[in-house]
Amino acid sequence: MHGPAASGWLLVALCAATGVYCLLRMRSSVEEQRRTAGGEALMGFGMAAMAVPAAAFTPPSWAWPVYAVVFGTAGLHALWAARAGARHLHHPLGAGAMVYMAVAMAVSPGAGQGHTHGSSGIPLLTGALLLYFTGYVLVTGVRLVPVTAAAGNPAPGTGEASGWGDRPELARACRLSMGIAMVAMLLTM
């Protein structure tokens, strides 16, 4: 969301880099990675667009409802894909958080006019999302710690890695960075 300029640009860079890596993951030979990488790329680029400081660019008022529709559609698609397993429920929840932030921006006074945050959104829902994403960041960070594959060898249990797009620890690191960005964006609400 539109907070201080320096942190906003850092979030833009982090989320855009994550989106680019997720696009690279779409070339993976692993079908499940290809399926999830597109949605994660959309999330990364969408978060980057929402994090642009208001001093640099203030989106027109129609942009927030468009964000809500795009992420609502992505959330429904992710929810449909999650019917195969509960471990994929993070994706529709992330898309739902993006819809929530877009709707909060659309209905906040002065939306699209270089406004500041701190009073938009429903405090209870914002708090619940903050708790979830903080927990997600902590759990994902812990999952990254034990990955100790030797240089040039794939991580244990991952099979033969065929490139940057097939590195599960890099995919986790990208999800971790998007989770951290989501926490930062929710804190500005």
Side-chain angles (χ1 to χ4, degrees):
M1 309 299 283
H2 299 291
S7 61
W9 286 119
L10 287 173
L11 276 176
V12 169
L14 177 70
C15 294
T18 300
V20 168
Y21 178 71
C22 289
L23 287 178
L24 290 174
R25 284 183 42 230
M26 290 179 71
R27 298 179 7 193
S28 171
S29 61
V30 180
E31 182 179 346
E32 185 174 343
Q33 285 190 28
R34 284 194 312 267
R35 265 197 313 251
T36 61
E40 290 173 355
L42 174 68
M43 184 71 78
F45 290 128
M47 290 172 71
M50 289 179 92
V52 172
F57 174 73
T58 300
S61 60
W62 56 264
W64 300 116
V66 169
Y67 280 141
V69 168
V70 167
F71 285 106
T73 303
L76 289 174
H77 181 267
L79 190 59
W80 179 257
R83 75 190 188 287
R87 68 185 186 104
H88 295 288
L89 286 175
H90 171 73
H91 296 284
L93 190 56
M98 293 293 285
V99 169
Y100 167 66
M101 288 188 287
V103 169
M105 293 306 301
V107 299
S108 69
Q113 299 170 354
H115 56 282
T116 59
H117 296 278
S119 62
S120 59
I122 302 167
L124 186 60
L125 183 54
T126 303
L129 288 169
L130 272 169
L131 282 174
Y132 170 77
F133 283 103
T134 300
Y136 179 80
V137 164
L138 293 173
V139 168
T140 304
V142 167
R143 286 184 182 162
L144 280 173
V145 172
V147 176
T148 58
N153 294 329
T158 62
E160 190 64 33
S162 62
W164 285 91
D166 292 324
R167 303 290 304 260
E169 69 276 11
L170 291 177
R172 280 189 203 112
C174 283
R175 291 182 191 118
L176 175 65
S177 67
M178 283 195 290
I180 291 168
M182 187 68 78
V183 169
M185 293 170 76
L186 287 166
L187 283 173
T188 63
M189 291 192 70

